[in-house]
Amino acid sequence: MPRSNYIFTSESVSEGHPDKLCDRISDAVLDAFLAEESNARVACETFATSGMVVIGGEVGLSDEQRLKNYMGRIGQIARDCIKDIGYEQEKFHWNTCHVLNFLHEQSAHIAQGVDRDGAGDQGIMFGYAVDETPELMPAPIQYSHAILRRLAEARKSGREPSLRPDAKSQLSLRYEDGKPAEVTSIVLSTQHADESQTSDDIRAIVEPYIREVLPAGWITEKTEWWVNPTGTFVIGGPDGDAGLTGRKIIVDTYGGAAPHGGGAFSGKDPTKVDRSAAYAARYLAKNVVAAGLAKRCTIQLSYAIGVAKPLSIYADTHGTGEVKETAIEHAVAMAMDLTPRGIREHLDLCRPIYQRTAAYGHFGRAPEADGGFSWEKTDLVEALKKVV
């Protein structure tokens, strides 16, 4: 039986965290290529350190000359991301940092399998949903994201000019009868402008926003606050710590509340099942819970490179199911074509919608009018009920 009384912790990092900055650049490159051609192939990695950004990986367009011409835009794409995030530090400034581009054409040996509608790689992908928040996400990660998103809004609007882009949050939630009941501790570290600002000064700035975001009653007199616990945090971003695409996969997904297949998302076009099948698995798990078939659901999919059909489909309702897991496995296979092409078409993934996913989670977001976060829709509910 699953535990019903416990404390669980998840963390998030802001868009200015060095790893998230790299995710953002990689996804911006992806969006630029998809805007040029919906079937573009992209596997873009970014590394950032003091005064420098290095971009590498493989890309592909149907026209070789157009691809060569397009390479000249990569540096400006990176600078635009850095500028929007807000880095204008002496040792990491959007206008003065070096941007090195080492992108090259996609391997023909990888392309041959994808061109036959197979998966772009082997791997296992997980999706998860739980009914403890309106978004059907685990509460610790959902609200860790919400805190940092709200602080970024306050910073960018000019309301809190002393805040800077790099930040991390962490929430520990006490559960009673399987539901979140109380925040036992809040950890918030944020870069700031003035070395004279103390931890107490920063807490006075951020606490109202944290209280605004968290549900009423979750913060109590017993809640422990750890705001900039080391003291000064002026040196931040890639000047303080190097960044790399794909190093925050648990932040990107479920905050450790569910398994992860191990593959990162950012910088990968939707032929890569690391990304598209993980989105499909979340979509299916969310619709299972939204349909009332379970209060909690994990879906696993597996693939082989160059093979279209998923090798396996696994469902686990963690003892909360209203029907057998085998019935759910059958239902999701009937309700959605889970080949790589089927996933791309069902969720309309071949469009420039990825830069926005690079910070504050790939899941638990509202579906958008232009197709962004399409995997968060609950439009399979009736189809799943019918099959079951």
Side-chain angles (χ1 to χ4, degrees), residues 99-296:
V99 180
L100 306 180
N101 174 19
F102 295 105
L103 290 168
H104 60 83
E105 289 185 76
Q106 183 184 45
S107 161
H109 294 170
I110 293 175
Q112 65 185 348
V114 179
D115 290 342
R116 295 196 300 264
D117 292 334
D121 201 353
Q122 70 177 46
I124 58 174
M125 297 84 206
F126 289 92
Y128 180 73
V130 63
D131 68 353
E132 64 190 49
T133 63
E135 299 84 6
L136 303 185
M137 282 287 287
I141 187 66
Q142 189 70 8
Y143 287 103
S144 292
H145 288 323
I147 287 169
L148 292 182
R149 192 183 303 118
R150 184 69 186 94
L151 290 175
E153 291 168 357
R155 172 177 64 85
K156 288 184 166 184
S157 71
R159 185 173 178 180
E160 300 298 345
S162 65
L163 297 183
R164 291 294 181 265
D166 197 355
K168 302 179 79 170
S169 65
Q170 182 172 288
L171 281 182
S172 297
L173 281 181
R174 183 174 62 81
Y175 284 71
E176 287 183 4
D177 297 324
K179 297 293 183 183
E182 176 189 17
V183 177
T184 60
S185 67
I186 298 168
V187 183
L188 192 287
S189 295
T190 181
Q191 185 186 10
H192 54 99
D194 190 346
E195 289 191 6
S196 68
Q197 289 176 299
T198 66
S199 297
D200 288 341
D201 293 331
I202 301 303
R203 176 171 173 177
I205 293 170
V206 302
E207 182 172 345
Y209 297 104
I210 294 173
R211 289 185 177 274
E212 174 188 325
V213 165
L214 294 179
W218 279 18
I219 297 177
T220 70
E221 292 181 355
K222 296 185 293 181
T223 300
E224 295 183 348
W225 289 77
W226 301 98
V227 177
N228 281 19
T230 62
T232 304
F233 182 10
V234 172
I235 301 171
D239 186 32
D241 192 8
L244 192 65
T245 299
R247 281 204 300 202
K248 288 293 178 286
I249 58 176
I250 299 302
V251 170
D252 284 342
T253 54
Y254 308 103
H260 193 295
F265 301 156
S266 289
K268 296 178 180 178
D269 74 69
T271 68
K272 279 74 172 174
V273 285
D274 274 346
R275 184 169 216 158
S276 56
Y279 288 175
R282 160 64 179 173
Y283 175 64
L284 294 171
K286 185 175 183 180
N287 275 272
V288 166
V289 174
L293 302 179
K295 295 181 180 297
R296 181 181 169 203

Side-chain angles (χ1 to χ4, degrees), residues 337-359:
D337 178 356
L338 291 172
T339 64
R341 176 181 289 275
I343 291 170
R344 295 196 301 273
E345 292 180 351
H346 188 108
L347 297 177
D348 204 6
L349 297 180
C350 295
R351 55 171 67 197
I353 55 173
Y354 297 104
Q355 189 176 169
R356 70 196 75 170
T357 68

